[in-house]
Amino acid sequence: MNDLGYSFSEEPNDRDDTASQRQISVRIDDNTIVYALNDGSAADSLYEMLPLSVEVEDYSTNEKIFYPEEGLDTSNSPLAQGGSGTLAYYEPWGDVVFFYGEYNENPGLFELGQIVSGEELINQMSGTITIEIAE
């Protein structure tokens, strides 16, 4: 191909590579939801806690939440700005949030990642869920 004047780069796409290496799965009974984590410090904190089995609770009409045993480090984390499918951490209360509807931005709400698959299952979460590093 080089003889024809074409070349290609072997450099990996950092964004795709990071997302594929930093996926977590949320198991609800026989169903699985997958999130791609960002590279923020809060996402790092959550990732280091895995695996987790936690009780998920309803909150409002657009989110499910749980409280990790330890707070997450938000020092180098982006604020949550997306909509449905956002995984976030609400620092003032110390809860992790699975959004299944739109929400208002908040200076204490930090994005951990975005949904990859299973968004339609988020609003069905209840009881104990298991969060693990996705294989």
Side-chain angles (χ1 to χ4, degrees):
M1 302 233 3
N2 287 338
D3 292 342
L4 299 173
Y6 294 102
S7 64
F8 61 94
S9 173
E10 295 270 346
E11 294 178 25
N13 179 330
D14 290 340
R15 186 172 160 204
D16 291 344
D17 192 41
T18 300
S20 67
Q21 290 179 3
R22 300 258 303 184
Q23 290 189 350
I24 62 171
S25 65
V26 179
R27 281 191 298 125
I28 313 153
D29 299 322
D30 294 332
N31 296 308
T32 302
I33 301 169
V34 177
Y35 287 91
L37 297 182
N38 62 33
D39 60 358
S41 54
D44 291 344
S45 295
L46 178 64
Y47 195 78
E48 290 169 7
M49 293 179 185
L50 301 180
L52 289 172
S53 285
V54 295
E55 291 292 317
V56 71
E57 305 171 24
D58 285 314
Y59 188 81
S60 189
T61 59
N62 63 341
E63 59 191 86
K64 302 286 183 163
I65 65 170
F66 77 89
Y67 294 89
E69 287 186 21
E70 298 175 24
L72 306 184
D73 172 15
T74 60
S75 62
N76 185 25
S77 297
L79 291 176
Q81 298 176 349
S84 181
T86 299
L87 179 64
Y89 177 66
Y90 188 54
E91 187 175 43
W93 293 354
D95 61 312
V96 174
V97 184
F98 303 93
F99 283 103
Y100 60 91
E102 296 300 315
Y103 60 89
N104 294 324
E105 292 180 31
N106 182 302
L109 187 64
F110 296 89
E111 183 177 313
L112 302 173
Q114 292 291 322
I115 194 88
V116 172
S117 64
E119 184 172 355
E120 70 282 0
L121 301 170
I122 300 171
N123 68 343
Q124 299 172 24
M125 282 189 206
S126 66
T128 302
I129 62 171
T130 302
I131 306 170
E132 302 172 310
I133 297 170
E135 298 289 326

